[in-house]
Amino acid sequence: MPRLWPPAPCDSPDPALIQTGSLALEVLPDPAAVAERVAGLLLAALERGQTLGLATGRTMEPVYAALRNQLLHQPAAQRQRLLAGWRSFNLDEYVGLAAGDAGAFATEMAVALERPLGLPAGSLQLPNGRAPDPQQEARRYGGAVTAAGGIGLQLLGLGANGHVGFNEPPCPSDARCRCLQLSAATRRQNAAAFGGDPAAVPERAITLGTAEILAAKQVLLVVTGEAKAEILRRSLQEPPGPLVPASWLQRHPQLRVVADAAAAHRLS
Ligand code: GLP
């Protein structure tokens, strides 16, 4: 495994960016710098007309704030053009919840992007957590992603147990969009959005699979904070395997990781 971080002085003209095979790793000082950078990459993808794969969670809150801000600083005509062409699919949704429900990812997206940007209805899609048959809804949603030509740029956060989307370990590299049971660890991790009570976090979710994620043209993994340092190291520097679903990303031909120094400090 080639050394990733810190870079040798002449590894790259941009000391924050290291290219190793198909992996580009960018380490920035703090979450604010990460958010600005990732927002810039999302804006560039919108300018290219790419379909976005979007994620939720605390890591993405400053990213979406920075994206709103960068969009609002575009000339009005350019902003209107980008918003009119916006097409995105979120990774996942809790079973039983939909837009308007506290804790629903659809609500999070409405608050973070849809309402403040005035996105046209239907531009931002998520699985319907209230569909009567969640497995059928997962098939429909996976089919909608394929029918749209797949994801151009897939934005990902990293779960503390190595999940991406809600692909809980163990997870093969070819899992498709499906409804699954959330682990106790994930329900604890996400309890803050449910009044701090892990038992209030829904037991199941619909998620795009590793298959759809790996089929995206580009993957952008965003990781901040010391608490994610060890799982980021395992994701990037241990052989890919089902126990750390994010480790399958090593097989993606265009993986970019943007991390803050705290999250990157265990990389070697
Ligand atoms: C959640 C979501 C993921 C998210 C990850 C990290 O459970 N399903 O899409 O990226 O876990 O969340 P956070 O950014 O809050 O640490």
Side-chain angles (χ1 to χ4, degrees):
M1 172 65 65
R3 193 169 64 86
L4 279 176
W5 187 259
C10 57
D11 267 1
S12 160
D14 174 356
L17 180 67
I18 304 134
Q19 183 80 45
T20 316
S22 59
L23 166 68
L25 169 70
E26 197 166 2
V27 180
L28 297 167
D30 53 36
V34 167
E36 279 304 325
R37 180 74 186 128
V38 172
L41 293 169
L42 291 170
L43 191 63
L46 286 170
E47 282 164 356
R48 289 192 298 270
Q50 285 187 302
T51 299
L52 302 179
L54 295 180
T56 43
R58 281 153 291 193
T59 311
M60 299 307 158
E61 286 171 15
V63 169
Y64 293 149
L67 180 59
R68 289 195 303 267
N69 193 45
Q70 290 187 22
L71 275 162
L72 291 173
H73 282 88
Q74 298 289 309
Q78 163 77 344
R79 181 171 67 245
Q80 283 318 317
R81 196 178 63 74
L82 294 176
L83 297 181
W86 182 297
R87 205 163 40 159
S88 66
F89 290 90
N90 265 71
L91 282 164
D92 44 19
E93 182 58 283
Y94 292 108
V95 168
L97 301 186
D101 293 335
F105 291 154
T107 307
E108 205 174 307
M109 295 307 292
V111 170
L113 294 175
E114 201 169 21
R115 275 189 231 141
L117 292 175
L119 283 168
S123 21
L124 205 152
Q125 300 197 44
L126 294 96
N128 176 9
R130 290 235 203 101
D133 180 342
Q135 285 299 2
Q136 192 183 323
E137 168 60 9
R139 282 192 294 275
R140 180 203 67 80
Y141 191 68
V145 169
T146 307
I151 304 292
L153 177 67
Q154 176 65 62
L155 178 66
L156 295 173
L158 180 62
N161 64 356
H163 72 216
V164 282
F166 268 137
N167 290 280
E168 296 277 50
C171 178
S173 62
D174 60 355
R176 302 212 66 91
C177 187
R178 66 207 182 285
C179 169
L180 47 63
Q181 206 73 30
L182 296 175
S183 67
T186 291
R187 293 176 72 210
R188 273 197 305 277
Q189 188 197 328
N190 289 3
F194 295 86
D197 178 10
V201 179
E203 291 176 12
R204 292 183 301 158
I206 296 170
T207 184
L208 287 182
T210 43
E212 288 91 0
I213 290 170
L214 291 171
K217 199 163 171 225
Q218 298 166 310
V219 173
L220 175 55
L221 177 67
V222 185
V223 191
T224 54
E226 157 68 30
K228 302 267 180 82
E230 177 57 12
I231 196 66
L232 179 61
R233 184 195 67 75
R234 294 183 65 199
S235 301
L236 298 184
Q237 296 196 297
E238 285 189 354
L243 296 183
V244 181
S247 66
W248 296 122
L249 301 176
Q250 292 176 40
R251 297 199 175 156
H252 193 278
Q254 274 195 69
L255 170 63
R256 186 174 197 122
V257 179
V258 183
D260 69 354
H265 85 94
R266 283 184 193 257
L267 299 175
S268 56

